[in-house]
Amino acid sequence: MKTTSATRFAILGLLSLEPMSGYDIRRAVDDVLRHFWNESYGQIYPTLAALEHEGLIRLMPAAARASARRRKVYAIAPAGRRALAAWRRKPPVYRPFRDEMLLRLFFGDAPSTPALLGHVKRLRAAETRRLAEYKAIEARIRREAGDHASRPFWRATLRFGHHRSSAIVRWCDETARALRGSRARTP
Amino acid sequence: MKTTSATRFAILGLLSLEPMSGYDIRRAVDDVLRHFWNESYGQIYPTLAALEHEGLIRLMPAAARASARRRKVYAIAPAGRRALAAWRRKPPVYRPFRDEMLLRLFFGDAPSTPALLGHVKRLRAAETRRLAEYKAIEARIRREAGDHASRPFWRATLRFGHHRSSAIVRWCDETARALRGSRARTP
DNA sequence: ACGGGCATGTAATATGTTACATGATTCA
DNA sequence: TGAATCATGTAACATATTACATGCCCGT
């Protein structure tokens, strides 16, 4: 394996906060990393097995687990913390991004303009929803992580989302105006 | 094949502008779609074959080709134009995005702060470069596509990049300030 | 004559999602 | 007791990148 994937570090990162099962990790990703990350079970379970094999995480003894269920709770090992720290300092590799909405827009023409305006409108609604979510998360961080050492970092990622979504909303408004205008000029 | 991939439509879209070879398509993607799309030869050539098989594009006769070289130039077929038009109107499927820089930042701590500030600084430089590129492309559109019907659509995608990059630059500045500040407060 | 760009294509590999199989536990 | 949720795992499939193989054509 060549493994340039960040999946293992997302998992290691979450385990650095507290011990978790594969199921917990999935939930944590969906709950807290959602705005800039995602993982599926198909990635999580095999990666967990590999990480344990490499000694970066340890399976906690059943006795120490919260319930009698057959959950498998993993904790990060010292080698895992070191790997995480090293990865954190490494400049992220650039991943070219793809945007299907922009692709549609680029190949737009007069007859498709109403449909494209619909795409823009839906995007605007989605980004507006995100802005509201960010506000809720910010309140939650203030409440639950008042003094946590990670707070400034969590806040920074949140602010990224805020800046990004605000900019997209502004773009949607500008573009709706421009496209309605050009449709009027070119009937 | 289930084929929800937009690759075929990126190719169809480019061929709707003018007939091209696989090599040309790769160059066009890198040249004009670069800011929101990418394709590799490994995708382009097999997709071209499939598209021709389905009758969405046609191989132009060698005689009609610009040079005597063994280039294979494809033109979009009427069925291809129809498929492109139908796709254009379909709301884009949401693809969750992943940002490795934000992932690093989220799992940041005091000792890694200087490295993270480095990531932020490099991102700022990259987005600033993009802004300059957008300006150059805007001038080029004005020059080369003064009256082209696609101009409003091309401009809209460009404006998206502008809004996005500007917002990220602002976030970088804000975040650099915040992280330097919290490093000072938590030594 | 040869280096660089033009040009097509494939194989190996990486990465990821989705759907399914399986079953335990909890609670109304 | 039955539905919802917890929980683990895998197989099939989809998508994409990278590296390689191959060879032509043009200008110096």
Side-chain angles (χ1 to χ4, degrees), chain B:
Chain B
M1 245 195 293
K2 207 186 167 186
T3 246
T4 53
S5 159
T7 288
R8 52 174 44 224
F9 298 108
I11 292 176
L12 243 22
L14 288 173
L15 292 181
S16 80
L17 302 178
E18 61 176 323
M20 291 187 206
S21 68
Y23 193 83
D24 293 339
I25 286 168
R26 174 68 205 265
R27 291 243 302 304
V29 168
D30 278 7
D31 186 36
V32 18
L33 306 184
R34 184 176 14 130
H35 296 297
F36 54 89
W37 206 257
N38 70 304
E39 291 295 347
S40 59
Y41 287 129
Q43 290 283 100
I44 292 170
Y45 286 112
T47 303
L48 240 18
L51 252 20
E52 199 204 355
H53 183 79
E54 295 168 42
L56 303 187
I57 62 176
R58 285 191 316 260
L59 184 58
M60 289 179 73
R65 292 183 211 152
S67 90
R69 295 222 291 282
R70 87 259 84 112
R71 309 175 4 102
K72 295 170 74 175
V73 176
Y74 294 90
I76 193 166
R81 290 205 186 266
R82 283 194 298 274
L84 182 64
W87 166 80
R88 202 159 30 202
R89 281 155 213 274
K90 220 169 36 174
V93 292
Y94 173 73
R95 313 268 183 186
F97 90 106
R98 289 174 141 203
D99 189 315
E100 293 195 11
M101 201 268 307
L102 293 181
L103 195 62
R104 282 167 166 84
L105 201 53
F106 187 88
F107 293 119
D109 58 7
S112 63
T113 297
L116 296 175
L117 281 167
H119 302 346
V120 171
K121 194 175 163 187
R122 272 187 299 277
L123 177 63
R124 192 191 193 284
E127 297 300 334
T128 302
R129 268 195 305 279
R130 281 184 189 230
L131 283 171
E133 276 183 68
Y134 295 145
K135 205 164 258 182
I137 298 172
E138 187 133 27
R140 186 173 141 197
I141 289 180
R142 233 193 304 276
R143 234 184 312 115
E144 295 174 25
D147 57 339
H148 199 292
S150 291
R151 192 179 142 171
F153 302 99
W154 296 350
R155 230 189 95 82
T157 62
L158 200 57
R159 293 293 299 159
F160 186 96
H162 178 84
H163 278 278
R164 185 179 164 283
S165 291
S166 300
I168 295 179
V169 167
R170 282 193 297 273
W171 173 82
C172 287
D173 291 339
E174 177 190 310
T175 298
R177 260 196 315 276
L179 256 41
R180 272 196 294 266
S182 79
R183 185 175 47 164
R185 282 200 303 278
T186 345

Side-chain angles (χ1 to χ4, degrees), chain A residues 117-186:
Chain A
L117 280 167
H119 302 345
V120 171
K121 195 175 162 186
R122 273 186 298 277
L123 178 62
R124 192 190 193 284
E127 296 300 334
T128 302
R129 269 195 305 279
R130 282 183 189 230
L131 283 172
E133 276 182 67
Y134 295 146
K135 206 165 261 185
I137 297 172
E138 187 134 26
R140 186 172 142 198
I141 288 180
R142 235 193 303 275
R143 234 185 312 118
E144 296 174 24
D147 57 338
H148 198 292
S150 291
R151 192 177 145 171
F153 302 99
W154 296 351
R155 228 188 97 81
T157 63
L158 200 57
R159 294 293 298 159
F160 186 96
H162 178 84
H163 278 280
R164 184 179 165 282
S165 292
S166 301
I168 295 179
V169 167
R170 283 194 296 273
W171 174 82
C172 287
D173 291 340
E174 176 189 310
T175 298
R177 260 196 314 277
L179 254 40
R180 273 196 294 267
S182 80
R183 185 174 48 161
R185 281 200 304 277
T186 345

